């Protein structure tokens, strides 16, 4: 069963409008979560906000948002005042422009959502917008209020649906030149490149979600199961061996190719090499 949508509104392109629903494309339901307990009693610990000056607990009704304008000086904003900033983009995804997908670098992508038609009447309009973006190789750009902030969003056609990506704000993405311009532009030995290309070819596999599994999660489940049965948990051994700096990269690559069978499905880590 598909997860329930957390947002409903309208997708609009000029005079074409259709009702849509949105659900998060990411799930954390399998993530192990812990409660904080009192070791002496085994009871859960309750968290409460404490007044920084009086050190007394604050009732829920007395909690309010505050915008700092100086030392210990705040402008208080009630929930009603925050919700009153009702922009049109709160419930309408109005596609304002289109752009080639490849023109948006991956670093701008934030959070993916599944956008689907919300009634039969709007399915044709939804499909027309989706197929037009596919045919032209374009993605739609709009603005939408999500998580209490208006943000730019990108609409990407995918199979029979549309993926809505929230995009990072301009001041959130750092200029890569600040980091990469200092990297020396080396003229590389073609023989080295040939060996690396061969190593990449031997290690190339089709993408599978199993490549992104979390081994720590599995180990935690093993510890929990062992403690439930009253057995001492097995402690995972941390890899304490530090990678060594290899002076001769050619020898390291040849050695890597010699120990990397083409048909091997085992997990083999690449030796980290660097030039002194």
């Amino acid at each position: 069963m598909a997860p329930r949508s957390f947002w409903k509104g309208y997708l609009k392109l000029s005079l074409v409008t259709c009702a849509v629903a949105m659900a998060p494309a990411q799930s954390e339901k399998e993530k192990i979560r812990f409660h904080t307990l009192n070791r002496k009693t085994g009871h859960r610990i309750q968290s409460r906000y404490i007044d920084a000056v009086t050190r007394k607990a604050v009732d829920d009704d007395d909690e309010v948002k505050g915008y700092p304008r100086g030392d210990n000086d705040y402008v208080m904003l009630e929930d009603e005042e925050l919700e009153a900033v009702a922009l049109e983009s709160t419930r309408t995804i109005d596609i304002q422009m289109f752009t080639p997908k490849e023109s948006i670098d991956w670093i701008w992508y934030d959070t993916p959502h599944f956008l689907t038609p919300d009634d039969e009447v709007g399915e044709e309009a939804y499909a027309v917008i989706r197929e037009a973006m596919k045919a032209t190789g374009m993605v739609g750009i709009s603005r939408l209020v999500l998580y209490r902030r208006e943000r730019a969003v990108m609409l990407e056609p995918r199979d029979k649906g549309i993926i809505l990506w929230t995009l990072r704000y301009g001041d959130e993405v750092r200029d890569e030149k600040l980091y990469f311009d200092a990297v020396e532009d080396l003229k590389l030995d073609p023989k080295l490149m040939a060996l690396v290309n061969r190593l990449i070819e031997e290690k190339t596999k089709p993408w599978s979600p199993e490549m992104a599994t979390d081994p720590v999660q599995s180990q935690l489940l093993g510890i929990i199961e062992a403690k439930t049965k009253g057995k001492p948990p097995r402690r995972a051994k941390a890899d304490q061996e530090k990678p060594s700096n290899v002076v001769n990269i050619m020898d390291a690559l040849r050695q890597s190719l010699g120990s990397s069978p083409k048909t091997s499905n085992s997990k083999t880590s690449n030796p980290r090499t660097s030039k002194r």
Side-chain angles (χ1 to χ4, degrees):
M1 182 182 295
R4 294 175 59 185
S5 58
F6 77 100
W7 181 95
K8 290 190 177 184
Y10 297 92
L11 176 62
K12 181 181 177 184
L13 174 59
S14 190
L15 299 178
V16 179
T17 306
C18 61
V20 289
M22 185 162 50
Q26 299 169 309
S27 172
E28 292 191 347
K29 68 176 185 177
E30 301 299 327
K31 185 177 179 180
I32 294 178
R33 300 182 184 278
F34 297 100
H35 295 294
T36 303
L37 308 179
N38 182 335
R39 186 192 300 275
K40 294 180 179 179
T41 64
H43 300 158
R44 286 183 59 180
I45 294 175
Q46 186 179 40
S47 299
R48 298 193 66 182
Y49 284 107
I50 303 295
D51 188 297
V53 177
T54 67
R55 309 309 298 171
K56 293 181 179 180
V58 180
D59 292 334
D60 292 346
D61 291 341
D62 291 329
E63 294 175 14
V64 64
K65 297 288 190 300
Y67 178 81
R69 60 182 179 184
D71 291 340
N72 298 318
D73 186 15
Y74 300 89
V75 177
M76 293 187 184
L77 295 169
E78 303 293 339
D79 288 342
E80 296 79 13
E81 293 173 311
L82 294 171
E83 292 168 3
V85 188
L87 303 172
E88 184 183 355
S89 56
T90 302
R91 288 295 164 194
T92 302
I93 305 168
D94 188 356
I95 303 178
Q96 302 163 346
M97 68 186 76
F98 294 91
T99 189
K101 183 188 174 186
E102 60 271 16
S103 67
I104 304 178
D105 199 10
W106 65 270
I107 201 169
W108 291 95
Y109 289 25
D110 187 12
T111 306
H113 304 78
F114 295 129
L115 191 69
T116 56
D118 197 35
D119 58 31
E120 293 184 6
V121 176
E123 284 188 359
E124 185 177 19
Y126 175 93
V128 166
I129 295 172
R130 179 197 66 213
E131 293 304 311
M133 288 193 292
K134 278 186 187 179
T136 57
M138 297 289 179
V139 292
I141 303 297
S142 183
R143 302 195 69 82
L144 180 64
V145 174
L146 279 179
Y147 318 117
R148 285 201 166 185
R149 292 187 71 184
E150 188 187 55
R151 58 193 66 223
V153 296
M154 182 190 83
L155 289 88
E156 174 191 5
R158 180 78 61 88
D159 297 328
K160 295 192 295 181
I162 294 175
I163 305 292
L164 182 145
W165 282 90
T166 56
L167 300 177
R168 302 186 194 280
Y169 294 101
D171 57 2
E172 290 181 333
V173 178
R174 291 176 175 171
D175 186 354
E176 63 185 41
K177 293 180 179 179
L178 297 174
Y179 304 89
F180 296 152
D181 277 0
V183 178
E184 189 177 351
D185 190 8
L186 300 176
K187 185 175 181 180
L188 300 174
D189 186 342
K191 292 181 181 179
L192 283 178
M193 292 303 301
L195 288 174
V196 174
N197 290 340
R198 184 177 154 197
L199 189 61
I200 291 174
E201 182 181 351
E202 292 192 0
K203 289 182 174 291
T204 298
K205 296 180 182 178
W207 163 255
S208 165
E210 295 178 358
M211 295 179 181
T213 54
D214 183 0
V216 174
Q217 186 97 342
S218 301
Q219 292 173 16
L220 280 173
L221 287 172
I223 292 173
I224 292 169
E225 184 180 0
K227 297 201 75 170
T228 301
K229 295 178 179 178
K231 298 178 181 178
R234 254 175 52 186
R235 295 185 179 275
K237 291 183 178 179
D239 186 7
Q240 298 294 334
E241 186 179 347
K242 293 183 179 180
S244 59
N245 289 330
V246 180
V247 175
N248 194 317
I249 299 178
M250 185 76 76
D251 288 346
L253 286 170
R254 285 172 177 160
Q255 186 178 353
S256 299
L257 287 165
S259 61
S260 176
K262 292 182 181 180
T263 57
S264 172
N265 289 324
S266 61
K267 295 179 180 178
T268 307
S269 60
N270 292 341
R272 295 173 62 182
T273 62
S274 64
K275 211 168 186 176
R276 289 184 188 268

